Amino acid sequence: DTAAGCVGAVPADRAAAVVTGLDSWRRDFLRRSDYTATVSINAGLGTPPPGIPAFMVAVPSSVADDLAGVILEHNKAPGRVPPGKGAITTLTMDEAAHRLADQDDATISENLLGQTERVLGRLPAVEWVEVNRWERVVVRGRPGHFRELREFQMLRRARDRRVQLAGDFLSSSNANTATAAGEAAARALTASLVETATAAVNR
């Protein structure tokens, strides 16, 4: 296939493998970007857990070492769950995810619901549970990572023209970062192509 330009919207380590025009420093940075994993459950509850107005509870290791946090979906946005119902999402830490991932759904559900009750207290009737296994969640932080990311971004803006990178590794890892990076890459690519076309016409 041929194209005037493209946006490479892939995880960091895969970008290092498929984008051929990268300098060696940026390629090494992408290769060293390591993603954490998580095993999570989504659970529907007969009623919301009482007395918790927050939409997320960060879990200290002294309470449940395996858990990163519990999201109370019914508090997150109006209409997210049916009236009078509750819904939660429980997320594990990376180490726990690797330990749990090969277990069956029923075992994982029992384990994580039990740990969730150590955080929220006894849960109302659990009406359904869905288990999720995510191999890539967020880029693992390391000393100096964001200083290097700043350098990566400066080089990207200075050097990249017809191939633009996008992905959740260009800031703190989340869906918003990935979306915003894709939009920014499309704008940069469009501007570069317009600049190249204008220069060709002027010649």
Side-chain angles (χ1 to χ4, degrees):
D1 294 335
T2 59
C6 72
V7 173
V10 293
D13 54 341
R14 294 180 183 174
V18 301
V19 180
T20 59
L22 291 169
D23 55 88
S24 59
W25 186 90
R26 285 191 295 164
R27 190 179 306 282
D28 181 63
F29 172 84
L30 292 172
R31 284 174 176 160
R32 288 185 289 112
S33 296
D34 177 33
Y35 285 82
T36 63
T38 194
V39 170
S40 71
I41 57 168
N42 304 108
L45 307 177
T47 59
I52 306 176
F55 81 87
M56 181 173 181
V57 178
V59 181
S61 58
S62 59
V63 175
D65 194 45
D66 284 353
L67 303 188
V70 180
I71 301 170
L72 292 95
E73 303 290 355
H74 51 277
N75 290 340
K76 197 170 182 181
R80 185 170 287 263
V81 301
K85 300 289 187 178
I88 58 171
T89 299
T90 296
L91 302 140
T92 70
M93 300 291 286
D94 179 68
E95 296 80 3
H98 291 292
R99 191 173 68 250
L100 293 170
D102 292 334
Q103 297 181 14
D104 63 83
D105 285 4
T107 301
I108 291 173
S109 296
E110 182 180 3
N111 183 322
L112 296 188
L113 286 171
Q115 293 199 57
T116 302
E117 289 194 326
R118 289 162 59 183
V119 178
L120 302 183
R122 185 168 180 80
L123 293 172
V126 177
E127 298 184 347
W128 55 265
V129 179
E130 180 177 351
V131 176
N132 312 284
R133 298 165 177 83
W134 304 103
E135 293 181 5
R136 296 167 181 262
V137 184
V138 298
V139 174
R140 189 189 307 274
R142 64 175 189 276
H145 173 77
F146 283 100
R147 182 176 62 250
E148 292 181 0
L149 179 59
R150 178 177 181 273
E151 179 69 16
F152 183 95
Q153 293 280 49
M154 292 173 64
L155 290 171
R156 182 177 66 83
R157 293 185 182 111
R159 297 179 182 179
D160 294 350
R161 294 291 181 267
R162 293 189 178 223
V163 177
Q164 295 286 334
L165 288 174
D168 63 357
F169 59 89
L170 292 173
S171 183
S172 60
S173 301
N174 55 58
N176 183 66
T177 290
T179 302
E183 292 172 345
R187 288 192 299 270
L189 177 60
T190 300
S192 178
L193 294 178
V194 168
E195 181 182 345
T196 300
T198 301
V201 170
N202 289 339
R203 282 199 302 270

